[in-house]
């Protein structure tokens, strides 16, 4: 018999925003990056989303491109203080439902994995805070001087997360039919479909539609929406307005 596991996306599923964006803003606040970078297209895209005129995933993708280019040449050790500050100051800004599920899985002695598009150097600190030993994030390559090269191995798309899960399954003898997955965007679609107990946390519209259009996933998925101090369990076939 295989082991039972729980696979957690982090940004938007556990953490209420994006670790990368929080780090990006801190780099600007501490004047490591030029504030003009933020006051360009990234801010405009975010304001459109904030007014519900834009797509949050488009915003994330745009900021990610700016972030990756801005990080090129920075020394990893030089910004380590800011990296630590992100998790120290913002690491408790999580969804209560997801946090409690992590504690529940620990009580059940399940394997717990963080699989996230967040930079792995940030994700590792978030994993340490929640005492998670196994994680896979976006790898930001560094050169022999510990400077960021501007090259990455991304982990926010569905195919990359699928490969990461398959590697974990092989390494830890995981029984996917008995396992759990938690996600919020369409990048988590395959991850949710691979397990016996998929839970979509505050899912974006695209993910909701794709789950509803997939009979196998529709029959086993759960939608959870957390707002303020209330957690709602919503039927998967609920019409989208």
């Amino acid at each position: 018999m295989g082991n039972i596991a729980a696979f957690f996306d982090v940004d938007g599923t556990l953490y209420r925003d994006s670790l990368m964006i929080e780090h990006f803003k801190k780099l600007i606040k501490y004047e490591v990056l030029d504030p003009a970078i933020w006051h360009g297209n990234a801010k405009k895209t975010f304001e459109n989303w904030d007014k519900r005129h834009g797509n949050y995933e488009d915003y994330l993708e745009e900021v990610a491109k700016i972030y990756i280019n801005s990080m090129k040449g920075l020394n990893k050790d030089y910004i380590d203080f800011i990296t630590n500050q992100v998790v120290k100051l913002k690491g408790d800004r999580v969804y209560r439902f997801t946090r409690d599920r992590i504690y529940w899985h620990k009580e059940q002695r399940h394997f717990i994995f963080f699989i996230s598009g967040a930079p792995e150097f940030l994700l590792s600190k978030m994993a340490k805070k929640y005492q998670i030993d196994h994680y896979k994030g976006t790898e930001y390559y560094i050169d022999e001087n510990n400077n960021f090269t501007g090259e990455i191995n991304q982990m926010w798309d569905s195919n990359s997360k699928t490969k990461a899960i398959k590697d974990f399954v092989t390494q830890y003898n995981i029984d996917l039919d008995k396992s759990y997955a938690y996600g919020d965007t369409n990048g988590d679609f395959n991850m949710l479909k691979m397990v016996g107990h998929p839970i979509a946390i505050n899912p974006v519209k695209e993910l909701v539609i794709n789950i509803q259009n997939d009979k196998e996933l529709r029959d086993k998925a759960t939608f959870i929406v957390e707002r303020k101090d209330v957690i709602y369990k919503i039927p998967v076939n609920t019409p989208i307005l």
Side-chain angles (χ1 to χ4, degrees), residues 137-149:
T138 296
E139 184 177 0
Y140 283 66
Y141 294 116
I142 55 176
D143 60 22
E144 63 277 6
N145 297 314
N146 217 28
N147 295 327
F148 291 101
T149 66

Side-chain angles (χ1 to χ4, degrees), residues 7 9 115 155-166 169 176-177 179-200 206-208 210-211 214 216-217 220-221:
F7 302 96
D9 171 57
I115 302 180
M155 191 50 60
W156 56 69
D157 63 291
S158 207
N159 290 335
S160 297
K161 291 190 175 187
T162 298
K163 183 181 183 304
I165 290 176
K166 287 181 177 179
V169 167
L176 287 176
D177 288 337
S179 294
Y180 300 74
Y182 302 82
D184 71 310
T185 70
N186 208 49
D188 302 314
F189 179 81
N190 285 353
M191 181 172 77
L192 294 170
K193 189 167 181 177
M194 292 172 75
V195 301
H197 305 282
I199 298 97
E206 184 180 11
L207 179 59
V208 171
N210 286 336
I211 289 175
D214 187 291
E216 177 190 351
L217 191 49
K220 63 181 180 178

Side-chain angles (χ1 to χ4, degrees), residues 24 39 47 56 102 111 114 116 130 143 156 191 201 218:
F24 179 55
H39 293 290
E47 288 175 344
Y56 187 56
I102 290 175
F111 280 82
F114 280 177
S116 173
Y130 288 93
D143 60 22
W156 56 69
M191 181 172 77
I201 312 291
R218 184 177 69 238

Side-chain angles (χ1 to χ4, degrees), residues 102-103 106 112 114 126-134:
I102 290 175
Y103 296 153
K106 287 184 177 182
I112 300 176
F114 280 177
M126 195 70 167
K128 182 178 180 180
K129 177 178 177 63
Y130 288 93
Q131 299 179 316
I132 305 300
D133 294 327
H134 313 291

